[in-house]
Amino acid sequence: MSHWTPIARLEDIPRQGTRVVATPEGAVAVFRTVDDRVFALLDRCPHKGGPLSQGIVHGARIACPLHNWVIELDSGQAVAPDEGCVRRFDVRLEDGMVAIALAAGPTGS
Amino acid sequence: MSKPKLVLIGNGMAGVRTLEELLKLAPGKYDITVFGAEPHPNYNRILLSPVLAGEKKLDDIILNDDAWYAEHGITLHKGKKVVAIDRVCRKVRTEDGTEAGYDRLLLATGSAPFILPVPGKDLEGVVGFRDIRDVELMLEASEKHRHAVVIGGGLLGLEAANGLKKRGMNVTVVHLLDTLMERQLDKPAAALLQRALEDSGLDFKLEAQTEALLGEGRVRAVRFKDGSEIPADLVVMAVGIRPNVGLAKASGIHCERGILVSDTMQTFDPQVYAVGECVQHRGELFGLVAPLFEQAKVCANHLAEFGIARYQGSVTSTKLKVTGIDLFSAGEYQGGAGCEELLLQDPSRGVYKKLVVRDNKVAGAVLYGDTVDGAWYFQMMRDGTDISAFRENILFGQAHMGDSGHGAESHAARLPEDAEVCGCNGVCKKAIVDAIVQKKLFTLDEVRAHTKASASCGSCTGLVEQILQSTLGSDYSVSPAKKPLCRCTDLTHEEVREAVRTQVLKTIPELMGSLGWRTPDGCHSCRPALNYYLLCQWPDEYRDDPQSRFINERVHANIQKDGTYSVVPRIWGGVTNPRELRAIADVAEKFRVPCVKITGGQRIDLLGVPKAQLPAMWAELGKHGLMSGHAYGKSLRTVKTCVGKEWCRFGTQDSTTLGIELEKMTWGSWTPAKVKMAVSGCPRNCAEATIKDFGVVAVDSGWELHVGGNGGVKVRATDFLCKVQADEEVMEYAAAYMQLYREEARYLERTAHWIERVGLPYVQSRIVDDAAGRRALCARFLESQRKAQIDPWAERAQGAEKHEFEPLTPAERKANACIA
Ligand SMILES: Cc1cc2nc3c(=O)[nH]c(=O)nc-3n(C[C@H](O)[C@H](O)[C@H](O)COP(=O)(O)OP(=O)(O)OC[C@H]3O[C@@H](n4cnc5c(N)ncnc54)[C@H](O)[C@@H]3O)c2cc1C
Ligand code: SF4
Ligand code: FES
């Protein structure tokens, strides 16, 4: 069962920008595209673990800041010809509030 | 509302290429109808020669099959020749009466082989060499007959002759002049070529004027002016081509030798466009695909109503598609007034190389026997590279360039398979070759994407291009003369900058909108470039877009491999004091900085800082007057100095003070790539000024200024710019140089590469010779610096861009998590 955890208001994340949230499952990068879609991926590039949250968002993709791998935000797949995949989290947007689905319940509650 | 109608007449290489480009830019914009006189879909005409020679089959050369037209909703009329255009009612009509109305019309009717007006020209067995039908006729003849005569010793004639020879015929090539391929080769190269072709079994009859073709029904022999005759069951006329302008002329469109078009590929009737061999642009006709493809791009841009591309003519190169013969020619290969010729001849190896040089730039080239460097010379020709620095060695090729820092160093073909080509990404030659072959790659971009070779620092780009070329062979090379800024657009850096200026574009969305970007918000390559161009053009008004900056510049610190950052305070001219050192030491201790290091640029690097800590550290450093050293940006980094005359027993000038002044003037400026400076107090040059972007070296009578040095992947020593006397002059020249670089270099192009591209004389003409221009550049630089010299650390320490540094707090600690 997954738990919807509200993490931020949409406007807390800049357009074409990213914020990081610490979760029991690790640091998660939450991305907002130019057209206000929101996605969440584990903040670790499948290449050498670069912090995806620090990259440049374009379209529904993120370019890793370390070696420019490009990752699809909706699937976590690396854009060909690179191969690899990063864990993704479901996200929903309700009343301007962003929530992500975590596998385990929040720690400590 | 129904879509506007576009009609294309001519289902050949240029016309369909235009449609392909248009579909990329504006899919679905038009209802498209295509008329082609040939009963085939669009095929690669160039490869008819290999088909004739039996190296390829007809099926292999189809470019777009019927399904392609269907998929894009294009109505295709094969085997229908258009015979009339009604420009008043805007419709076209074919021989069999089919009609189609248009809003825009595209003429791409190509050309027809020129047939000598001699008696017997209409006999059976006399053909041109132009289309599939001609090839079929030749193949038929080769099965039944023995003697072939090819009239015309140019590119096409020789390819036809080679093909017929391979099909088992006895072939004689007849040529009016005493030298083959006179439009591409000079005499020595032509003689080498002739010898090689004779060795392969072709016969030649030069300086021969055809008088008549003899025979009844089918051709039997060729007779010449001197009365001699040779037997011929097949005669191929390859003496030239004539643009197909009949249709255009008949409909009142202005034609000379070809259909006259403007730089936007429009004819005198603005509703009617024309591309390909049928056009005449700025007095020139075209007979090779590379320029036609450039025209196609421009035409598509205008059909898509972006209205920003211009065709300004092309430089072309030629290769002969005869297996076993290496031949390359480009540009003004004959030389002539105002030109110099560089020659290398090695008859025993069968090698001949000639470069035609004008104003220290390559204007033309002929290579025979060893053509590996063709692409390299051609690139220099198109880029207008100044070759003065290495002209003694240029003929020996790129492999012999030594350490002059120009592009790649070794010949692709000779490189062993396991040689590392891309040092950054550890890619060896074999990996690149395998990718090209297995994944069918054709362009540098594709190779970059698939192998990562040349995707990082780019110093191996030239080599990768060579490998591409040597692997693909020479079917044809259509590497575009202009390199687009990135895959989101076809425009070059220069075109984008010009549009920013002339169309007064002031934001990234505005720019992408009016220049027809293919992606909604660009990519990680173009956005930083656009952000820079706008910033440079509109220093007063443009509001920086943090989301279009690489992380280093976004957070004003240098990202490290583990995701932490490094902090480098500015230390003016490398001179510090105990108070500053103590402050840095205190901060390092307080924030438990794991590594403190002196950098190569005389600064102190605090490594391993977590991002969230940055603002607090900066606040602390700021209290002691320390500010950002911009060690992370495409901007001025450091001005390195020596101790100079104040302390040094050799020093002739006060290099330290001048270095500090230079840094105070230039800090904070954004540039296309990082910029480093240095000032040395005497020619011993302890500050290593001659490998900096801008280096100053004191001499007894003043200062020497050096530019374009680089200590990076490829070491490049500076070029000497000029000598000046007063400190103020150094400042003025430095500012002007910075601004010229800022305004004209491509984003991410370091001064070393920029200067190699535009040539030192150009930079001198702008900065040394033109005093008024220099002062204007200097003024623009100082003006833009008024907005640039704001310490980004101080701003952020006070809370600017706070969200960048603070992680989100999961709300469950504040509110109840809802469970789905
Ligand atoms: C054998 C051969 C080898 C070549 N090798 C090379 C090479 O190695 N490198 C290189 O760069 N170039 C080469 N070329 C030249 C290159 O093929 C041409 O420059 C190019 O094909 C011209 O393109 P185009 O679209 O202008 O004309 P085409 O490709 O000739 O297309 C014109 C089309 O318009 C059709 N057409 C004409 N009038 C009408 C009408 N009234 N109604 C309907 N349709 C009409 C024609 O049937 C034709 O199909 C070669 C050409 C030949 C013939
Ligand atoms: S460059 Fe000359 S002046 Fe400067 S430290 Fe070296 S020797 Fe002394
Ligand atoms: S770690 Fe992301 S691209 Fe290398």
Side-chain angles (χ1 to χ4, degrees):
Chain A
M1 197 184 289
S2 57
H3 300 253
W4 285 106
T5 309
I7 45 167
R9 305 204 61 78
L10 181 63
E11 63 264 25
D12 294 337
I13 311 169
R15 277 213 177 105
Q16 300 174 302
T18 312
R19 299 289 301 267
V20 191
V21 54
T23 76
E25 291 159 66
V28 172
V30 187
F31 307 88
R32 174 174 172 193
T33 65
V34 76
D35 53 359
D36 286 347
R37 284 176 297 160
V38 182
F39 299 94
L41 299 175
L42 197 67
D43 196 13
R44 273 183 64 81
C45 176
H47 179 218
K48 293 194 173 168
L52 293 175
S53 55
Q54 311 299 298
I56 290 181
V57 176
H58 53 91
R61 292 174 166 180
I62 179 77
C64 175
L66 293 196
H67 317 96
N68 277 332
W69 276 34
V70 178
I71 312 290
E72 301 278 7
L73 293 179
D74 60 351
S75 62
Q77 289 285 348
V79 171
D82 293 325
E83 285 163 18
C85 180
V86 56
R87 179 162 166 214
R88 56 173 291 284
F89 295 83
D90 282 331
V91 188
R92 75 178 181 201
L93 189 60
E94 219 164 67
D95 298 333
M97 199 66 195
V98 179
I100 61 171
L102 298 174
T107 41
S109 65
Chain B
M1 214 179 68
S2 68
K3 290 184 200 169
K5 292 195 265 303
L6 172 66
V7 168
L8 164 63
I9 305 179
N11 190 26
M13 298 195 70
V16 175
R17 183 60 168 239
T18 309
L19 296 185
E20 288 175 341
E21 297 285 351
L22 175 64
L23 292 172
K24 275 197 259 167
L25 292 179
K29 184 172 174 67
Y30 292 96
D31 262 334
I32 304 176
T33 305
V34 179
F35 290 94
E38 291 182 74
H40 308 279
N42 175 239
Y43 62 90
N44 189 342
R45 194 171 304 285
I46 292 180
L47 296 184
L48 286 177
S49 303
V51 169
L52 181 62
E55 292 160 5
K56 285 211 158 65
K57 290 206 267 316
L58 273 179
D59 280 353
D60 299 338
I61 70 169
I62 300 296
L63 290 170
N64 294 298
D65 55 13
D66 292 338
W68 178 84
Y69 293 89
E71 190 188 313
H72 291 93
I74 299 172
T75 313
L76 171 63
H77 295 286
K78 277 189 288 194
K80 290 202 183 185
K81 184 171 175 184
V82 174
V83 290
I85 303 172
D86 180 342
R87 290 195 296 127
V88 180
C89 306
R90 293 206 181 143
K91 61 183 185 191
V92 304
R93 182 166 46 77
T94 66
E95 258 168 341
D96 69 354
T98 312
E99 291 196 344
Y102 67 83
D103 296 293
R104 302 265 176 108
L105 179 65
L106 176 56
L107 295 172
T109 48
S111 48
F114 180 64
I115 301 293
L116 291 175
V118 290
K121 68 179 166 53
D122 298 319
L123 289 170
E124 194 188 327
V126 180
V127 297
F129 186 15
R130 180 72 197 175
D131 54 26
I132 290 186
R133 168 136 187 82
D134 296 331
V135 173
E136 283 168 349
L137 286 173
M138 285 190 246
L139 291 180
E140 229 177 87
S142 73
E143 277 163 22
K144 296 193 204 135
H145 302 281
R146 273 182 62 76
H147 300 289
V149 170
V150 175
I151 304 182
L155 200 68
L156 217 53
L158 296 180
E159 288 185 9
N162 173 61
L164 293 168
K165 179 84 219 160
K166 292 220 160 146
R167 295 288 179 175
M169 297 189 85
N170 284 340
V171 186
T172 308
V173 176
V174 174
H175 197 46
L176 193 58
L177 304 176
D178 63 345
T179 162
L180 299 176
M181 282 180 68
E182 74 284 350
R183 308 241 321 267
Q184 287 88 19
L185 298 183
D186 60 355
K187 287 200 173 181
L192 285 171
L193 173 66
Q194 187 178 341
R195 196 169 348 125
L197 290 171
E198 277 165 355
D199 289 346
S200 80
L202 288 181
D203 290 326
F204 288 92
K205 188 167 170 55
L206 301 189
E207 295 183 271
Q209 212 170 334
T210 309
E211 190 182 63
L213 307 182
L214 311 176
E216 287 104 45
R218 190 175 185 95
V219 65
R220 171 176 59 75
V222 179
R223 190 174 71 217
F224 301 98
K225 270 263 157 67
D226 64 4
S228 61
E229 282 180 22
I230 51 172
D233 315 305
L234 172 71
V235 173
V236 180
M237 294 260 196
V239 289
I241 52 173
R242 282 210 169 147
N244 271 330
V245 296
L247 179 65
K249 248 191 190 149
S251 54
I253 291 169
H254 186 56
C255 300
E256 286 173 8
R257 285 178 301 153
I259 303 170
L260 252 64
V261 292
S262 64
D263 285 5
T264 55
M265 307 316 295
Q266 274 158 309
T267 67
F268 275 54
D269 175 345
Q271 302 304 318
V272 182
Y273 291 72
V275 292
E277 279 186 354
C278 60
V279 309
Q280 178 175 337
H281 172 263
R282 299 193 186 179
E284 304 250 2
L285 303 174
F286 304 86
L288 292 169
V289 291
L292 310 187
F293 286 1
E294 286 176 38
Q295 295 174 356
K297 265 204 163 130
V298 173
C299 186
N301 185 290
H302 287 273
L303 285 172
E305 290 177 345
F306 289 148
I308 41 166
R310 269 171 72 198
Y311 181 68
Q312 298 176 288
S314 314
V315 203
T316 56
S317 68
T318 322
K319 283 182 204 146
L320 184 66
K321 296 192 297 298
V322 173
T323 339
I325 291 186
D326 286 328
L327 184 158
F328 173 92
S329 106
E332 304 171 37
Y333 65 96
Q334 288 288 18
C339 291
E340 300 164 90
E341 287 176 16
L342 308 182
L343 263 186
L344 183 143
Q345 262 172 318
D346 187 347
S348 63
R349 274 203 306 141
V351 170
Y352 173 85
K353 298 183 182 184
K354 175 163 104 177
L355 284 188
V356 176
V357 174
R358 185 186 301 120
D359 299 333
N360 274 318
K361 291 177 180 146
V362 179
V366 180
L367 308 178
Y368 186 89
D370 174 3
T371 53
V372 202
D373 288 305
W376 182 51
Y377 296 139
F378 192 46
Q379 192 62 42
M380 287 194 279
M381 202 168 113
R382 290 189 298 194
D383 291 352
T385 308
D386 188 294
I387 62 161
S388 37
F390 52 97
R391 61 179 273 163
E392 318 82 79
N393 294 324
I394 193 167
L395 276 178
F396 300 119
Q398 218 172 349
H400 297 265
M401 289 304 298
D403 217 12
S404 75
H406 193 95
E409 256 58 54
S410 86
H411 271 177
R414 280 189 223 130
L415 220 54
E417 291 218 311
D418 57 356
E420 185 175 84
V421 173
C422 173
C424 299
N425 297 298
V427 189
C428 66
K429 177 178 163 189
K430 184 167 183 330
I432 299 177
V433 173
D434 287 352
I436 295 172
V437 175
Q438 286 158 16
K439 307 209 163 126
K440 299 194 174 30
L441 311 182
F442 284 99
T443 65
L444 180 65
D445 262 357
E446 290 170 341
V447 174
R448 272 192 188 140
H450 283 269
T451 66
K452 288 282 152 178
S454 137
S456 298
C457 78
S459 71
C460 61
T461 304
L463 189 52
V464 175
E465 279 182 323
Q466 280 194 13
I467 294 178
L468 196 59
Q469 218 208 353
S470 74
T471 311
L472 283 180
S474 55
D475 268 358
Y476 63 98
S477 90
V478 281
S479 70
K482 32 180 241 176
K483 293 206 169 107
L485 195 151
C486 73
R487 270 186 279 181
C488 306
T489 178
D490 291 328
L491 300 175
T492 61
H493 286 267
E494 285 74 17
E495 287 169 333
V496 169
R497 294 196 92 163
E498 192 183 310
V500 166
R501 209 166 29 242
T502 54
Q503 302 186 22
V504 197
L505 304 173
K506 296 200 168 166
T507 66
I508 292 181
E510 202 183 318
L511 186 154
M512 289 180 172
S514 54
L515 302 188
W517 238 245
R518 280 199 275 272
T519 43
D521 58 344
C523 70
H524 58 282
S525 336
C526 56
R527 286 227 312 268
L530 301 185
N531 189 53
Y532 170 75
Y533 291 152
L534 289 163
L535 190 93
C536 178
Q537 183 64 39
W538 316 112
D540 285 332
E541 299 149 76
Y542 180 64
R543 263 201 60 220
D544 188 48
D545 174 21
Q547 303 314 337
S548 296
R549 284 200 182 248
F550 185 63
I551 184 65
N552 281 359
E553 295 182 353
R554 195 155 76 225
V555 301
H556 292 276
N558 209 346
I559 195 167
Q560 304 295 341
K561 64 185 281 186
D562 62 353
T564 63
Y565 289 80
S566 80
V567 167
V568 183
R570 192 166 287 288
I571 295 181
W572 305 97
V575 178
T576 181
N577 54 40
R579 192 183 50 76
E580 281 181 357
L581 290 173
R582 201 171 291 121
I584 293 172
D586 286 345
V587 166
E589 241 171 31
K590 176 163 173 191
F591 291 89
R592 299 211 170 84
V593 171
C595 178
V596 180
K597 177 173 186 316
I598 308 286
T599 72
Q602 301 177 335
R603 307 295 185 265
I604 293 172
D605 199 355
L606 306 172
L607 287 142
V609 182
K611 188 179 179 187
Q613 253 178 31
L614 292 168
M617 247 176 98
W618 294 336
E620 198 84 7
L621 289 165
K623 279 190 212 148
H624 298 91
L626 289 159
M627 56 185 258
S628 170
H630 286 80
Y632 43 78
K634 309 294 171 216
S635 70
L636 178 95
R637 298 278 175 95
T638 57
V639 182
K640 195 170 171 178
T641 59
C642 73
V643 293
K645 116 173 147 183
E646 281 279 289
W647 296 93
C648 179
R649 64 205 161 103
F650 301 110
T652 57
Q653 309 271 356
D654 186 352
S655 51
T656 317
T657 303
L658 182 63
I660 294 173
E661 269 182 59
L662 272 176
E663 189 162 347
K664 296 232 149 132
M665 174 175 78
T666 49
W667 76 272
S669 58
W670 296 111
T671 41
K674 64 183 172 187
V675 172
K676 298 177 176 184
M677 297 191 176
V679 187
S680 286
C682 86
R684 283 177 181 74
N685 192 13
C686 295
E688 294 161 347
T690 47
I691 50 161
K692 296 289 181 272
D693 296 276
F694 187 80
V696 184
V697 177
V699 288
D700 275 343
S701 53
W703 301 98
E704 282 181 1
L705 306 183
H706 300 261
V707 293
N710 183 353
V713 184
K714 183 85 232 110
V715 181
R716 182 186 197 271
T718 43
D719 291 318
F720 173 66
L721 181 74
C722 65
K723 208 186 120 204
V724 298
Q725 262 154 20
D727 293 11
E728 301 76 60
E729 285 176 282
V730 178
M731 303 295 281
E732 182 177 302
Y733 279 72
Y737 174 72
M738 283 290 274
Q739 189 65 8
L740 187 66
Y741 171 58
R742 296 182 75 232
E743 289 178 4
E744 298 191 358
R746 298 171 188 162
Y747 190 64
L748 296 189
E749 183 176 48
R750 290 212 49 187
T751 60
H753 298 115
W754 170 59
I755 286 184
E756 284 188 355
R757 179 164 64 82
V758 303
L760 178 69
Y762 171 73
V763 176
Q764 283 170 323
S765 74
R766 295 286 305 270
I767 291 179
V768 185
D769 310 339
D770 175 5
R774 174 178 67 241
R775 281 192 291 273
L777 280 166
C778 171
R780 286 207 290 286
F781 180 71
L782 297 179
E783 175 64 25
S784 72
Q785 281 300 79
R786 287 196 306 123
K787 298 273 165 152
Q789 292 192 325
I790 296 161
D791 179 23
W793 284 1
E795 286 187 321
R796 277 154 190 78
Q798 284 157 20
E801 304 278 321
K802 210 165 165 188
H803 62 83
E804 264 295 348
F805 302 94
E806 290 179 357
L808 288 168
T809 345
E812 77 266 20
R813 287 191 211 131
K814 296 180 269 186
N816 281 338
C818 47
I819 294 169

